[in-house]
């Protein structure tokens, strides 16, 4: 078997990432050597991959998840271009893992040819190395204002001759109009690659949906390859924090008498919000994202997560009253955790002439550290132990411009690198670290939650002895594979991947100019 496929969507968050992962897991189970690909991703949720030169580089976290679905290690070529928004008008450009520039909507077009060339080359290499490459689009292929320079959706499909399926989220409403309109706004050559549709997040009687599927087939000449049901257990590895509801996952009943309530501040430029997913897999731990000061007051544990714009998000904390709520929570002796940018906010000062160029700004003052930003970005995988318990191994990864430039020498670290160097800080009930992913280490997570419950006065809380985050992720990937096998026409998908789009697909007017 050899071939490729593009999974496009009617909108952002239509289900492209999970459908791509599900198709990858199905093909992997069939013994196919399969790899994922997303030419350009816009996300502040990234994973660290070790490149061929031994240095760490970034790709979108969704592509790392899809690589796991394929049973392979992540590769920088799986997401050659990553745009990390730092504000509403600018994004850091990560090319093949390395931050190379910061662009605005106005000057992005000058860099775009270089990015497209790198993306096309990466896909060509992957197609030489694997039987099948399952590509994920971005946003919608019907963003006709961007079509001229597109190399992610139909621009990629046209370049590589990829058959394309369009997924739509029926939970949002208007799915049939969105699917028809997506095809009808494309020019004839693009339409010729759109082979059919998949509906995502359906709840109810499929018989009631069938008349709509039949009519969509009649008016477009294209089939619906299947209808994926809405499923409560598909929430891990979200590409964007906006994909989360207020409460992460489905909290299982506690092992002890008490629940532990964790409030995570949904910062405007939140990054790697996936860090708290590991906490949410624990029975009796309720994790919610919030922008309400009152919800911090009611929580047992407050988390300041990562941020792509530490100084700007710190200012936002103060403007919204959330900073005062964090300070009040800490003053009561209840746990506060800062991760990466959130850790930086907890210090005495942030000195930034790189990201915000704001100079020196005061932090929240909960930890006796100061952070200075430098031009060179730290991107690496990290390993070590819990500083308070050297018998507990911890693994994680780091993505940050800021580093601790000054700290109270008596301040205990939270973690210890393999060389014995301390990382992060602990002062009473307040702690922080630059390491993302540390709470995926099961024993360390259990120790943290046990101590947090003690500090919060939740004496009846007990951690489960056997929760394994890696197993939870694997169950999620297997569930995606099961859903593809059960609910999609996999024979038709197989033919599509092997043979390309069917000949003679009808043109749907009005279409865009060629």
């Amino acid at each position: 078997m050899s071939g490729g496929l593009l999974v496009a969507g009617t909108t952002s968050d239509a289900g492209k990432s999970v459908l791509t992962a599900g198709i990858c897991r199905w093909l992997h189970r069939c013994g196919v050597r399969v790899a994922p690909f997303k030419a350009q991703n816009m996300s502040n949720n990234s994973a660290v991959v070790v490149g061929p030169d031994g240095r760490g580089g970034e790709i979108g976290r969704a592509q790392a998840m899809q690589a796991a679905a394929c049973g392979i290690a992540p590769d920088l070529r799986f997401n050659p271009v990553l745009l990390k928004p730092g504000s509403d008008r600018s994004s850091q450009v990560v090319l093949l893992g390395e931050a190379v520039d910061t662009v605005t909507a106005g000057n992005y077009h000058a860099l775009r040819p270089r990015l497209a060339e790198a993306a096309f080359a990466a896909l060509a290499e992957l197609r030489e190395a694997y039987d099948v490459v399952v590509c994920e689009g971005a946003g919608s292929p019907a963003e006709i204002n961007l079509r001229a320079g597109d190399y992610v959706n139909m621009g990629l499909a046209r370049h590589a001759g990829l058959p394309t399926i369009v997924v739509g989220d029926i939970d949002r409403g208007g799915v049939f109009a969105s699917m028809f309109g997506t095809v009808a706004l494309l020019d004839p050559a693009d339409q010729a690659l759109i082979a059919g549709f998949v509906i995502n997040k359906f709840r109810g009687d499929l018989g009631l949906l069938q008349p709509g599927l039949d009519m969509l087939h009649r008016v477009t000449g294209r089939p619906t390859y299947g209808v994926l049901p809405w499923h409560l257990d598909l929430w891990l590895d979200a590409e964007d924090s906006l994909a989360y509801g207020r409460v992460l996952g489905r909290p299982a009943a506690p092992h002890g008498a008490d629940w532990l309530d964790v409030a995570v501040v949904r910062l405007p430029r939140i990054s790697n919000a996936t860090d708290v997913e590991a906490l949410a897999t624990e029975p009796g731990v309720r994790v919610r994202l919030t922008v309400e000061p009152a919800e911090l007051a009611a929580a047992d544990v407050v988390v300041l997560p990562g941020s792509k714009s530490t100084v700007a998000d710190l200012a936002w904390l103060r403007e919204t009253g959330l900073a005062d709520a964090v300070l009040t929570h800490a003053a009561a002796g209840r746990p506060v955790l800062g991760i990466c940018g959130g850790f930086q906010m907890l210090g005495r000062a942030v000195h930034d002439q790189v990201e915000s160029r704001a100079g020196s700004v005061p932090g929240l003052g909960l930890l006796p550290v100061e952070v200075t930003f430098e031009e060179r970005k730290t991107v690496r995988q990290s390993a070590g132990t819990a500083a308070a318990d050297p018998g507990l191994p911890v693994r994680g990864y780091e993505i940050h411009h800021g580093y601790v430039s000054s700290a109270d020498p008596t301040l205990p670290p939270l973690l210890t690198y393999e060389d014995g160097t301390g990382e992060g800080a602990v002062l009473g009930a307040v702690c922080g670290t630059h390491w993302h992913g540390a709470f995926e280490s099961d024993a360390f997570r259990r120790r943290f939650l046990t101590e947090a419950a003690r500090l919060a006065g939740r004496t009846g809380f007990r951690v489960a002895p056997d929760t394994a985050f890696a197993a939870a992720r694997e169950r999620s990937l297997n569930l995606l594979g099961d859903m593809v096998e059960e609910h999609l026409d996999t024979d038709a998908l197989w033919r599509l991947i092997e043979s390309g789009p069917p000949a003679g697909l009808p043109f749907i007017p009005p279409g865009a100019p060629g």
Side-chain angles (χ1 to χ4, degrees):
M1 185 181 191
S2 64
L5 179 72
L6 174 66
V7 178
T10 55
T11 62
S12 294
D13 198 31
K16 297 185 294 292
S17 295
V18 294
L19 178 56
T20 299
I23 292 172
C24 286
R25 177 50 61 105
W26 160 60
L27 290 170
H28 173 58
R29 287 173 173 174
C30 294
V32 176
R33 292 181 306 138
V34 57
F37 180 79
K38 186 161 184 170
Q40 175 185 290
N41 201 343
M42 179 174 279
S43 177
N44 279 328
N45 276 355
S46 60
V48 173
V49 177
V50 177
D53 59 0
R55 292 189 300 175
E58 295 179 76
I59 64 171
R61 191 169 178 93
Q63 281 63 66
M65 176 267 288
Q66 291 159 359
C70 297
I72 56 178
D75 187 311
L76 295 176
R77 296 172 297 178
F78 294 168
N79 176 208
V81 181
L82 175 62
L83 302 181
K84 305 190 75 174
S87 72
D88 291 340
R89 296 180 179 272
S90 67
S91 293
Q92 184 180 63
V93 179
V94 179
L95 179 59
L96 291 170
E98 184 178 355
V100 296
D101 206 345
T102 298
V103 296
T104 64
N107 63 14
Y108 170 71
H109 70 278
L111 188 61
R112 188 168 52 203
R114 177 186 172 192
L115 304 181
E117 181 181 0
F120 292 157
L123 177 58
E125 290 179 10
L126 292 174
R127 296 189 78 177
E128 287 287 329
Y130 292 91
D131 299 328
V132 176
V133 179
V134 183
C135 305
E136 177 188 341
S140 163
E143 290 165 353
I144 51 180
N145 56 313
L146 303 176
R147 178 60 185 90
D150 168 50
Y151 63 91
V152 188
N153 292 303
M154 301 317 296
L156 180 73
R158 287 267 288 274
H159 175 84
L162 297 172
T164 301
I165 57 175
V166 177
V167 58
D169 180 356
I170 199 169
D171 207 41
R172 294 169 178 249
V175 71
F176 293 116
S178 298
M179 288 177 161
F180 178 85
T182 295
V183 179
L185 284 174
L186 301 178
D187 72 24
D190 285 352
Q191 286 196 23
L193 295 172
I194 303 290
F197 309 101
V198 171
I199 287 181
N200 189 32
K201 295 185 183 177
F202 178 69
R203 334 184 200 197
D205 182 354
L206 192 57
L208 296 177
L209 189 65
Q210 194 60 48
L213 302 178
D214 294 340
M215 184 175 178
L216 183 65
H217 194 175
R218 286 197 304 273
V219 299
T220 66
R222 293 158 172 86
T224 296
Y225 290 104
V227 178
L228 296 174
W230 185 81
H231 206 295
L232 278 169
D233 291 333
L234 296 178
W235 58 276
L236 289 176
D237 293 300
E239 182 163 84
D240 192 307
S241 65
L242 295 178
Y244 295 129
R246 284 176 52 78
V247 177
L248 271 65
R250 285 194 296 170
H255 271 232
D258 285 347
W259 285 80
L260 192 67
D261 191 47
V262 179
V264 183
V265 179
R266 193 192 290 268
L267 299 167
R269 295 297 166 189
I270 190 170
S271 70
N272 288 70
T274 46
D275 285 326
V276 296
E277 291 180 347
L279 303 180
T281 61
E282 287 286 350
V285 180
R286 182 176 181 269
V287 180
R288 56 199 162 95
L289 275 73
T290 182
V291 293
E292 298 296 332
E295 293 195 353
L296 301 194
D300 299 313
V301 182
V302 168
V303 179
L304 290 180
S307 168
K308 186 63 184 68
S309 300
T310 298
V311 170
D313 280 356
L314 180 55
W316 175 84
L317 281 180
R318 291 189 163 109
E319 291 164 3
T320 57
L322 286 160
D324 289 336
V326 173
L327 293 172
T328 300
H329 188 92
R334 289 182 292 170
V336 175
L337 166 68
I339 303 174
C340 200
F343 169 41
Q344 295 166 359
M345 295 177 197
L346 293 175
R348 290 172 175 164
V350 177
H351 309 290
D352 180 16
Q353 292 290 0
V354 175
E355 192 175 77
S356 68
R357 304 190 186 280
S360 297
V361 299
L364 297 178
L366 292 176
L367 291 174
V369 301
E370 296 187 14
V371 171
T372 299
F373 278 60
E374 60 180 15
E375 289 285 351
R376 190 176 185 280
K377 191 176 188 179
T378 297
V379 181
R380 63 189 177 197
Q381 294 180 344
S382 303
T385 63
D389 188 345
L392 295 183
V394 185
R395 301 192 69 86
Y397 58 98
E398 299 176 58
I399 307 170
H400 53 91
H401 283 282
Y403 67 98
V404 174
S405 53
S406 173
D408 183 334
T410 65
L411 188 66
L414 180 64
L415 301 168
T416 304
Y417 288 102
E418 290 177 320
D419 66 1
T421 307
E423 200 288 322
V426 181
L427 183 61
V430 180
C431 63
T433 176
H434 273 122
W435 287 23
H436 296 289
F439 295 102
E440 295 179 19
S441 298
D442 297 328
F444 175 67
R445 180 181 65 253
R446 293 183 194 120
R447 187 188 192 285
F448 171 82
L449 290 172
T450 299
E451 177 64 7
R454 184 189 71 79
L455 292 167
R458 296 293 185 186
T459 56
F461 175 80
R462 298 289 183 272
V463 293
D466 55 356
T467 303
F469 183 77
R473 174 174 285 147
E474 188 66 12
R475 285 195 300 271
S476 181
L477 293 173
N478 279 327
L479 174 58
L480 287 171
D482 293 343
M483 290 171 67
V484 166
E485 292 181 9
E486 182 178 352
H487 298 285
L488 299 191
D489 184 346
T490 52
D491 288 341
L493 287 178
W494 191 281
R495 290 192 298 270
L496 197 63
I497 292 169
E498 272 198 316
S499 305
L505 290 170
F507 172 72
I508 309 302

